Amino acid sequence: MNTPAPDVSAPPERFNFAAHLLALNAHRAERTAFIDDHGRLSYGELARRVRQAAGALRTLGLRREDRVLLLMHDGCDWPVMFLGALYAGIVPVAVNTLLTADDYAFMLRDSRAQAAVVGAALWPVLRQALAQGGHEVATVVRFGPAGEAADEPAAAAAPMPMDGAALLAAQADDAAPADTHGDEPAFWLYSSGSTGRPKGTVHTQANLYWTAELYGKGVLGLRENDVVLSAAKLFFAYGLGNALSFPLSVGASVVLMAGRPTPQAVFERLRQHRPTVFYGAPTGYAGMLASPELPARSEVALRLCSSAGEALPREIGERWRTHFGCDIIDGIGSTEMLHIFLSNQPGDVRYGTTGRPVPGYELQLRDENGTVLTRPNEIGDLYIRGPSAALMYWNNRAKSRETFQGAWTKSGDKYTRDAEGYYTYAGRNDDMLKVSGIYVSPFEVEATVMRHPAVLECAVIGVPDAEGLTKTKAFVVCKPGQSVSEDALKEFVKSQLAPYKYPRQIVFVAELPKTATGKIQRFRLREQETQI
């Protein structure tokens, strides 16, 4: 499906995104760029520190296209070091802060990072990863207080960390930007692992520009007087756009928080800093609505909210709008496309759908043979064509070929499209179920289960019965203090769906397995079933 291309000029061939942002905001030197748990950073100070960071990385001997691992909790030092690396033409590899030492050891080996930038709280786990060897890290730069015994290397393979604040302070702020090409590898993000082992996804300098122009400005309509807060962290593609490239492209202010985005932590910042735009995920919105501490509409300044990660259930969107008087703009993006390419839009929200293509992107639904589906309401694989696609998965040619097919990117999601062009999520490719010979979308069953007033979350998988036929099984988390019987919940679903779709088994659990970005890991539930 084609959508009208917005009036957005392509960046020049020689393009450095960090230098682009600094130039855009040169006249906003006194305006606040970031607010973190410890203070504020103005646009003028941000520009100075980005240039110092670029100089510091060069001083350490890093050269163009060398990789540097970036392992830090969200705070002002994160965008400084990320943009400083881009500015210098050095490639930051931004990684999840909730992983294990084994995960980081794999990423260090896979990326062949020459250096690592780490927050003090994360240095102990990185030190364990470095001690495993098999990597090329010669220098570690640490930000934040050292803490007890933090300077003790775990083994000879772990270099003693340098103090990041002192390193930057020793640099002049006159570093020149690298003369990078817009298509040059600029940064990596590792996929979130909702379907297995993470993959190093390589993005360009221009990709950040395109997502900011097409979605940040084109759909969200961000403006200079906005204050934004993202529950998704900066290491995640969704969070990187939300809290860095989008707001900095219009001169807005960003609230960052290092800790987990619990309902209480979000509520505190909604009240204190009064952000106008909030970005979250369905799980987070459900948790906030279920909290007895949910702020009143008069206590916040929200004009718009965004959701991604998984499809937003209709009931959550409608309850949020009723309470706060603002919509949640539900969309879908991916690490491979960097941000959202299919979305509801302000003034055009249909809860229960993921909306229509973001202008500037083209979408197709294809069947199992690759034929483009044109009739309404057929379930097909979602393909995207747009300017923000990644270059490849590092060291994974087979997966790269499977996902990046010429101008098109295969999303791994299944969707339907109605006669008016609105798309509805039907599950991941590996989540789709065939029950009684008919495809069943687990998300449709989940969304129906979640309409029950006692249910907080639900995940549905397929399990074989005694005859080897696939049946649906639901894992359900109830709201605090509430409960429902298995039989009552089955009858509730039967009353709203075709009989063959209701879950034959329902298991009540305390929590569902998720990635750090809030995506339910159904493959973990399937693995549990095979081990029983």
Side-chain angles (χ1 to χ4, degrees), residues 195-483:
T195 57
R197 194 171 197 176
K199 299 177 288 293
T201 311
V202 182
H203 277 285
T204 70
Q205 291 277 350
N207 285 0
L208 290 160
Y209 169 87
W210 282 116
T211 56
E213 294 294 318
L214 297 178
Y215 191 76
K217 295 180 184 178
V219 171
L220 297 179
L222 290 183
R223 45 192 186 242
E224 183 180 24
N225 61 353
D226 275 321
V227 178
V228 308
L229 170 65
S230 176
K233 299 299 185 181
L234 286 164
F235 66 76
F236 181 38
Y238 181 45
L240 183 62
N242 298 344
L244 195 151
S245 58
F246 294 1
L248 267 59
S249 292
V250 298
S253 299
V254 183
V255 179
L256 298 174
M257 57 177 163
R260 292 178 56 243
T262 62
Q264 292 72 25
V266 172
F267 297 159
E268 177 185 343
R269 287 160 178 81
L270 290 178
R271 291 185 174 106
Q272 179 181 358
H273 300 296
R274 298 183 65 80
T276 55
V277 178
F278 173 72
Y279 310 87
T283 298
Y285 285 112
M288 286 188 281
L289 286 169
S291 172
E293 300 175 25
L294 185 69
R297 184 187 300 191
S298 60
E299 295 181 88
V300 304
L302 294 172
R303 70 170 182 85
L304 185 66
C305 294
S306 168
S307 179
E310 288 196 300
L312 180 77
R314 179 195 304 271
E315 184 256 356
I316 292 176
E318 291 176 344
R319 286 177 57 204
W320 187 271
R321 179 170 60 190
T322 298
H323 184 85
F324 286 112
C326 70
D327 277 311
I328 300 175
I329 307 301
D330 184 34
I332 181 174
S334 67
T335 304
E336 292 78 8
M337 293 302 297
L338 189 56
H339 213 275
I340 291 171
F341 47 78
L342 171 63
S343 181
N344 285 270
Q345 302 193 23
D348 184 19
V349 174
R350 292 199 182 186
Y351 288 123
T353 81
T354 318
R356 296 194 283 189
V358 171
Y361 292 89
E362 182 180 354
L363 271 59
Q364 288 183 350
L365 296 181
R366 303 181 189 177
D367 67 14
E368 295 173 351
N369 299 315
T371 302
V372 177
L373 302 176
T374 57
R375 292 183 298 180
N377 303 317
E378 295 182 287
I379 293 179
D381 296 320
L382 182 67
Y383 286 74
I384 312 101
R385 180 161 67 183
S388 62
L391 293 173
M392 62 178 167
Y393 297 129
W394 183 260
N395 283 349
N396 202 327
R397 192 173 189 180
K399 283 289 185 181
S400 293
R401 285 179 167 178
E402 180 183 331
T403 299
F404 305 108
Q405 301 181 13
W408 293 89
T409 300
K410 184 178 182 179
S411 71
D413 297 289
K414 286 188 180 289
Y415 265 84
T416 63
R417 183 182 60 246
D418 67 18
E420 297 178 84
Y422 292 86
Y423 287 70
T424 299
Y425 183 64
R428 292 287 298 177
N429 284 357
D430 53 359
D431 290 334
M432 288 299 293
L433 311 175
K434 211 165 194 178
V435 180
S436 301
I438 306 172
Y439 272 119
V440 174
S441 162
F443 180 76
E444 180 185 19
V445 182
E446 291 167 4
T448 303
V449 171
M450 288 177 63
R451 291 188 194 126
H452 192 283
V455 174
L456 177 64
E457 292 182 306
C458 176
V460 170
I461 63 171
V463 296
D465 63 12
E467 287 74 38
L469 300 174
T470 298
K471 303 299 181 185
T472 49
K473 181 173 183 176
F475 297 81
V476 175
V477 179
C478 287
K479 294 176 181 176
Q482 299 192 41
S483 64

Side-chain angles (χ1 to χ4, degrees), residues 170-193:
Q171 305 298 315
D173 65 351
D174 58 354
D179 180 26
T180 49
H181 193 288
D183 291 337
E184 188 171 315
F187 64 101
W188 293 19
L189 299 172
Y190 274 89
S191 62
S192 59

